[in-house]
Amino acid sequence: MDTFIQLTVDGLTLGSVYALIALGYTLVYGVLKLLNFAHGDVFMVGTFIGFGMLQLLGGTSNPLVPVWLLLVLVTFAAMAGCAVLGVVIERFAYRPLRDAPRIAPLISALGVSFFLANSMQLLFGAEPRNYNTFALSGGALYLKGVDIGSVRVPLLRIITISSAFALMVVLWFLVNRTRTGKAMRATSFDREAAAMMGIDIDRVIVFTFILGSALAGAAGVMFALRVPTNVAVGFIAGLKGFTAAVIGGIGSIPGAMAGGLILGFAEAYTQGYISTKWSDLFVFSILIGFMIFRPQGLLGRADIRKV
Amino acid sequence: MKRAIVLAVVIVVAAGATAAALAKPSATGSASAAQAVSCKSTLTIPFVTPLTGGAGFIGTEQATWAKYAVKTLPSHYGLKIKLVFGDTPVEQGPAPALALAQKYIADKSVVAILGPSTSGNAGASTKVYTQAGLVQLSPSATHTELTIGTPAVPYIGTPGFFRNVPGDYIQGPTDARFMINKLHVKKVVIIDFQEPYSVGLADIVESTLKKAGVSVTRLSAPNTTTDYSAYVTKVPNDADVVFFPTQKPPDIQTFGQQLLEQGKKAKLFGGDGSNDPAHFTIAGSYVSNFAPDITSIPADAAIVAGWQKDNPGKVVGSFGPPSYGAVQILLEAIKKACIQGHGSIQQRHDVIRNMKKVRIPNFILGGTFRFSTKTNDPLNAKFYIFQIQSNGKYKLVG
Amino acid sequence: MSEQTGQPEHGPAIGQDEWVARHGERRSTRDGPLGTLETRLRRVPWWAWLVLFLAAMSLLPLFYSSGYVRRVGFDTVLYMMLALGLNVVVGWGGLLDLGYVAFYGIGAYAYAMLDSDKFGIHLPSLVSVPLIVVLGAVVGLMLGLPSRRLSGDYLAIVSLFFLELFQTMTTNGDNVFGHNLTGGPFGILNIDPLHAFGHSLTVQHAGVFAVSYYYLALACFALIFVALRHVNHSRTGRAWRSLREDPLAAEAMGMPVNWLKLMAFSFGAATAAFTGTLYAALNTNVFPLGFYFVLLIIVYTMVILGGSGSMPGVVLGALIISPLLEVLRDPGKSRVVFYIAVIGAVIVAFRVSRRLGAIAAATAAFGFVAHAVAGAIDHQWVAGGKSGGFGGVLAHWVIVPTHLAGWVAPVSYVGLIALGLFLTVASPVVRLVLLVPTLYLAAFVWENVMLASPEPTRYIVLGMILIVLMIVRPNGLLGEKRVEIV
């Protein structure tokens, strides 16, 4: 039972990060019908921006501000930085290709992904960067926590999971209760009709990218607080987030959240109960099967092609 | 009809070319053939190591020490040496190493190869280099079968491949026996990362422990894993030791923190890849390394000081000093070949022949260096076990 | 329905739509001497081009006896074959296949298993290679079969997962229920070289790469080229073209869309598997990491650069990219490449005109002034350059400090990108003025930041080629602009 609780907590932690990344994929796919392969690398840049901000604020051994403020500032810096990066990418790599055949922005996205990952390596080297969260207040974030049964859930995990959920709630609010959110939903439903209704498509798309990339930045900080980051994490994180978005139904926001959590749990449980060696294989085989029998994912709409 | 004729003609031509190619007994081997290289000219030593990619930090550390060695040592031997770098990121498999091999073989001024640093590339390119007569001295490829064959895995090395660090067949049993004799372990968890270094080491430790009756749980993590939470969960509460032979010290640090987070009592044991006082500081953990900390060897003080002056702000790691030592060994062998050839290296093979004659007292890794007579490994190489103290210092315990 | 041949030169023919027939072969020709040249060149039959090309490539080993050049040549030929295969899937079938290199790996691993000491099987090459080609086609079919109802994006996703699956299977295949199937991360070593009729094709002599493999690769390339061209000009090829232009219309016309997609997939997979066997035979060992994402992007760049859908195009793409990647490993040579590329781009952008001259002069002057000023402030700021050769000449123009402060690299790099992006949206006047400092900054960044780490630089160049290509010229070098039928 203990193992189950522990694995569930693990799954939740992993899943929250995946869900945030998946949301970025899904938001962009909804409005642009584009699989933004560069999203994972935006996430990676977010981890580095957070690292830089952390060093600026004195590092985890000697922070210049209280712990909670440190975390908030670092997250905010990463979110802002990634939002800017997302907007730049959209403006220069995707907007010129908006009316091109579908394959064009996809290839451009691949190029951007490659470009970002290698530029970061060029500038910052291949060494891993450790936030060293353990050093904050003598390891308090790791050692103090809430007890469930005989399993102790450390503060850090609680913070990670709750902030991820908080962000998702904010996102839900933005998408469903604001005008721009409504415009976003309209654009994702039918871009031409939305334009004809007077919606400024460009602004909506920029807004979407800001949202998605900011979430990736936040995910980056949450990720890097627990594990060391390096320039190569973008690829794997992107792949996992992308997988989560696809499971949940790409284009569907609750789908992305669900997909992220499902993927997190699937990983944790297969690693814990079946085998660590074959967990990847297991997950990918299930995915391929899933895609074949239900390509629209759990909550997505089946694609209706107009003739 | 015309198309068919053309198709037939082209296929016949293709077949003819193939037959001609097959029938040719030997291709024009040329350029690298016996041409004496004068020892007064600038000789080139390429360093084949990953400078970018996931293992890039290993190569960049080794590069600083190799550069320092090439800056300070050749004058003692009356040689002029140029150091060039061949980047072989691990993400691309052996292809870059093989392409670079051709490049260096064709370069007449190349007389020896420093590296390849990774076991995978060493195994893939050694035949080609040795056939061309170039010696390879690796400061970090520890895969056992590169110098000796075992009952399970055949010998994949060549007579031209040497290394100045002991192989996994020494590290594995040393670590395992320490665990058995000093730590009295009953239950051990071993994790490998699905790449040659860790899998090889993990296999040896597992079999040694099993033979002594220790209960072993073997886990395997993809090399791209960053979050080990689920693996930590799988560590039994009563496990004594977790053997974690990673080459990325921040990973073992994180794993240790997560062990503490989940309240597990097991002690961490890392291989030589985890030996990094800057990044791995969890008190009570163990690390094995093929050299005692060189900053504690008095004879090395000058070298360390000089290196630190050239590399301000950098910390002495474990991958670096063997590269310095490797350059020194190569220079010795080259010098001997020069003397033998009366001022020039008659054939590249001469350097290989002189490797076993190299003796270096006050070697950077301690003691006198020479190769074993039976294998191309260092003689009497041993591994040292360190324990991390509460102040983060590494203390020699075995 | 009679077949359209596109040659409606004599009067109206029964059953032929003149306009469509002419339309099918219509190309947009340029005016002037370039256009006439193009039309003349197009009249040369394709097989003449092929023979000429093969002859030129065959002469390479005569000029360069270095094993390295031969090795790069061989790799280039392999890339050409891979590009041809990907062209079938992407260019002709219109399918975004992100798992293409998995078939390459399957071919290589299959050859490794059938012709090595691993399982003790040593099939003669003439048996194993065709077997593996069939295997590749079958696996392609199997992957395509369940995915045939999936549209573009979903197929991309499934094929990407397939690549991951392949990677995981080969990396963990050393312990499948106790059997070591794929050698795991250690790969499979000591693969036999190709052998037939009792002769073995040795890989190297005294460490130098054997030229016979190069010729063999050229022969295989010719075979594939001819075979694929044959397919392209058959009914299947025409069906692929219509499928690519408008899948819905094609389906409405009764074409077996799914079957066609499968065929494209299979052909591509078979070509990749074939190339894989050559790769395995030459390298004598295979590792999982040799068949992963980086390789995929490289092959895609070749196909896109050359022009997807055009066979000579993708061959040209491979011919450009493969040696480029090798050359970029070496700082001295990449310096030359960079300046040629920049100067070439400027010439292409401005044609030969007064503006070009103005820009060239201004950039040179700007550089010398900046260099002089920097040198006057602190000699160390300009002392880092090379002394001899091309680099030495440049050292008087570009600022190359001896030691680069930590912040210089990221700031100048990001600044260059920002400036470059700004140029694309600035007004023409501002653009012209800012071009000069941008060019100089680019040279500065290249010399100081990018040459210091050639590996990421190679891939940055690749990524930029992809992005710029898609925006500026999506049909690549030799691809054709699709003629819109309204």
Side-chain angles (χ1 to χ4, degrees), chain C residues 58-77:
Chain C
S58 313
L59 290 178
L60 187 73
L62 292 179
F63 290 113
Y64 291 99
S65 50
S66 143
Y68 180 56
V69 173
R70 291 181 196 171
R71 175 76 212 215
V72 173
F74 178 83
D75 285 344
T76 309
V77 175

Side-chain angles (χ1 to χ4, degrees), chain B residues 161-184:
Chain B
F161 178 81
F162 294 79
R163 56 179 167 211
N164 63 323
V165 291
D168 291 337
Y169 64 96
I170 298 188
Q171 180 173 192
T174 309
D175 292 351
R177 268 186 242 117
F178 183 83
M179 286 188 233
I180 298 170
N181 298 330
K182 291 281 169 52
L183 299 181
H184 308 294

Side-chain angles (χ1 to χ4, degrees), chain B residues 2-4 6-7 10-11 13-15 17-18 21-32 52 85 87-96 98-106 120-121 123-125 127-129 131-133 143 155-156 194-197 199-200 203 220 222-223, chain C residues 46-47 50-51 54 61 65-68 70-72 75 171-172 174 185-186 189-190 194-197 199-202 204-213 215-216 219-220 222-223 226-227 229-230 233 279 283-287 289-290 292 294 326 329-330 333 453 455-456 458-459:
Chain B
K2 187 174 120 184
R3 274 203 297 253
V6 169
L7 192 60
V10 173
I11 294 184
V13 166
T18 319
L22 279 173
K24 245 194 276 195
S26 72
T28 48
S30 72
S32 64
T52 55
F85 292 96
D87 188 3
T88 53
V90 289
E91 284 80 3
Q92 293 175 40
L98 290 168
L100 287 170
Q102 289 299 315
K103 185 168 165 190
Y104 297 137
I105 290 174
N121 287 337
S125 55
K127 272 213 185 67
V128 170
Y129 279 127
Q131 275 187 4
H143 198 45
Y155 170 60
I156 58 169
Q194 296 174 8
E195 45 75 43
Y197 168 77
V199 171
D203 286 343
S220 178
N223 203 7
Chain C
W46 64 274
W47 45 266
L50 182 65
V51 169
L54 286 176
S65 50
S66 143
Y68 180 56
R70 291 181 196 171
R71 175 76 212 215
V72 173
D75 285 344
T171 315
N172 291 324
D174 55 350
F186 302 107
L189 306 171
N190 292 324
L194 293 171
H195 47 269
F197 314 120
H199 287 288
S200 208
L201 210 60
T202 43
Q204 71 237 348
H205 304 273
V208 178
F209 179 64
V211 86
S212 41
Y213 259 91
Y215 286 126
L216 181 67
C220 295
L223 201 66
V226 169
R229 190 175 194 282
H230 197 71
H233 282 259
Y279 175 87
N283 284 312
T284 65
N285 41 46
V286 286
F287 296 86
L289 282 173
Y292 205 36
V294 172
E326 276 306 316
R329 274 192 217 266
D330 177 59
K333 297 199 191 101
S453 322
E455 270 294 316
R458 294 159 78 215
Y459 297 130

Side-chain angles (χ1 to χ4, degrees), chain A residues 97-207:
Chain A
L97 298 172
R98 212 170 282 168
D99 296 316
R102 286 275 283 274
I103 206 177
L106 274 171
I107 303 273
S108 182
L110 280 177
V112 172
S113 163
F114 223 49
F115 180 79
L116 264 184
N118 284 291
S119 299
M120 290 298 284
Q121 172 158 70
L122 181 73
L123 298 176
F124 299 111
E127 295 97 47
R129 303 286 204 269
N130 202 344
Y131 278 31
N132 213 1
T133 320
F134 202 80
L136 273 179
S137 6
L141 287 174
Y142 277 78
L143 301 173
K144 295 213 184 64
V146 165
D147 284 330
I148 303 182
S150 53
V151 172
R152 188 184 48 215
V153 182
L155 263 183
L156 186 58
R157 294 214 197 210
I158 298 180
I159 295 178
T160 310
I161 298 176
S162 45
S163 354
F165 273 95
L167 280 172
M168 289 193 241
V169 166
V170 169
L171 179 76
W172 182 89
F173 183 80
L174 279 173
V175 169
N176 286 312
R177 291 276 183 272
T178 64
R179 282 186 62 173
T180 329
K182 204 182 223 171
M184 238 177 71
R185 277 179 290 141
T187 315
S188 74
F189 200 71
D190 188 334
R191 197 198 302 168
E192 280 174 22
M196 283 191 260
M197 298 299 278
I199 294 178
D200 186 344
I201 301 293
D202 283 346
R203 271 189 54 185
V204 166
I205 293 183
V206 168
F207 179 70

